Amino acid sequence: GESVGLHLPTLSVQEGDNSIINCAYSNSASDYFIWYKQESGKGPQFIIDIRSNMDKRQGQRVTVLLNKTVKHLSLQIAATQPGDSAVYFCAENHGTASKLTFGTGTRLQVTL
Amino acid sequence: NAGVTQTPKFQVLKTGQSMTLQCAQDMNHEYMSWYRQDPGMGLRLIHYSVGAGITDQGEVPNGYNVSRSTTEDFPLRLLSAAPSQTSVYFCASRDGQLKLFFGSGTQLSVL
């Protein structure tokens, strides 16, 4: 899950296994959610998004699950590869504000 | 199609100096924004613009100015740099689906 401390939570996964990265969001009025991937020294890169009228959305090797009851978002990566090693951020959009609020991130480490 | 281009990539300033971080996008996006990224804090919105001639404050606007004279450019100005502004700065533009496209960042150190 996400952290408000100075150290990012780290998820270590063996190559080929599935990864699940969790995110708790704060605003029940948020209607749009995005996952970003940030590799070292680079800007965040869009992975997948989901609107609040959906519970699940699938992309290529990635799935996002949204549980509005408990305000929880998760990113599942199938068959994790070394190239998936990065920091992953979730972001929520607060309705009419149209401003994304980002979580603090989770570091994914893929071990061989 | 270059996307979002930021310059410079690295900058060192002394306290009190001024500088402008440049940002340009070639995707014809109306919405552009600046974020700063600090360890353990995630990305925090500094200023944003919904179109040429329109700017507004984000979560952490103090010490920064912006202007938007064209759709393509959205520079961020530090008028009098302070050590608290040491950070990595990201410019982003947004498409009609709320998807943000980020530049590669500017690493700024204020001594």
Side-chain angles (χ1 to χ4, degrees), chain B residues 2-16:
Chain B
V4 179
T5 303
Q6 286 183 240
T7 56
K9 289 191 72 66
F10 301 95
Q11 183 70 51
V12 178
L13 293 176
K14 295 181 180 177
T15 296

Side-chain angles (χ1 to χ4, degrees), chain B:
Chain B
N1 206 346
V4 179
T5 303
Q6 286 183 240
T7 56
K9 289 191 72 66
F10 301 95
Q11 183 70 51
V12 178
L13 293 176
K14 295 181 180 177
T15 296
Q17 285 185 315
S18 63
M19 81 157 295
T20 299
L21 279 63
Q22 301 292 343
C23 177
Q25 54 95 6
D26 61 1
M27 296 174 282
N28 203 32
H29 291 163
E30 292 293 330
Y31 182 101
M32 296 184 73
S33 54
W34 277 101
Y35 286 83
R36 60 178 288 172
Q37 185 175 41
D38 302 292
M41 302 292 289
L43 288 154
R44 293 184 292 168
L45 182 65
I46 304 171
H47 285 284
Y48 66 100
S49 168
V50 297
I54 306 169
T55 63
D56 206 346
Q57 296 181 346
E59 182 186 352
V60 288
N62 293 341
Y64 308 95
N65 280 353
V66 291
S67 59
R68 185 89 180 277
S69 55
T70 66
T71 299
E72 293 78 20
D73 300 297
F74 191 43
L76 178 73
R77 296 184 187 84
L78 284 71
L79 297 179
S80 179
S84 61
Q85 293 178 304
T86 293
S87 187
V88 181
Y89 291 86
F90 289 100
C91 177
S93 69
R94 194 181 73 192
D95 67 8
Q97 303 301 316
L98 298 181
K99 195 183 302 179
L100 281 174
F101 296 83
F102 287 87
S104 56
T106 295
Q107 192 167 318
L108 176 68
S109 295
V110 183
L111 306 177

Side-chain angles (χ1 to χ4, degrees), chain A residues 3-6 8 32 34 36 38 41-44 46 49 51 89 93 98-100 102-104, chain B residues 9 31 35 37 39-43 45 48 57-58 90 94 97-105:
Chain A
S3 170
V4 295
L6 289 176
L8 287 177
Y32 178 69
I34 305 183
Y36 281 90
Q38 187 176 24
K42 297 183 179 179
F46 170 85
D49 57 0
R51 297 199 176 271
F89 295 94
N93 184 70
S98 295
K99 287 182 275 188
L100 286 174
F102 286 82
T104 52
Chain B
K9 289 191 72 66
Y31 182 101
Y35 286 83
Q37 185 175 41
M41 302 292 289
L43 288 154
L45 182 65
Y48 66 100
Q57 296 181 346
F90 289 100
R94 194 181 73 192
Q97 303 301 316
L98 298 181
K99 195 183 302 179
L100 281 174
F101 296 83
F102 287 87
S104 56

Side-chain angles (χ1 to χ4, degrees), chain A:
Chain A
E2 306 263 320
S3 170
V4 295
L6 289 176
H7 302 285
L8 287 177
T10 299
L11 176 67
S12 289
V13 174
Q14 207 157 17
E15 183 181 4
D17 288 350
N18 297 334
S19 303
I20 300 177
I21 301 171
N22 296 304
C23 176
Y25 64 93
S26 57
N27 193 330
S28 57
S30 294
D31 60 358
Y32 178 69
F33 305 88
I34 305 183
W35 279 100
Y36 281 90
K37 172 186 180 183
Q38 187 176 24
E39 296 175 277
S40 181
K42 297 183 179 179
Q45 183 181 12
F46 170 85
I47 302 174
I48 192 168
D49 57 0
I50 188 168
R51 297 199 176 271
S52 59
N53 61 353
M54 301 173 69
D55 298 322
K56 179 180 179 179
R57 191 165 189 218
Q58 286 184 289
Q60 191 176 16
R61 278 202 309 120
V62 294
T63 301
V64 55
L65 298 177
L66 175 62
N67 185 330
K68 294 181 286 292
T69 302
V70 295
K71 291 188 285 187
H72 183 269
L73 195 66
S74 68
L75 176 70
Q76 300 178 0
I77 304 173
T80 311
Q81 303 169 357
D84 295 327
S85 293
V87 176
Y88 290 80
F89 295 94
C90 66
E92 60 183 300
N93 184 70
H94 300 292
T96 57
S98 295
K99 287 182 275 188
L100 286 174
T101 300
F102 286 82
T104 52
T106 297
R107 186 180 307 280
L108 176 65
Q109 287 182 339
V110 182
T111 57
L112 302 177

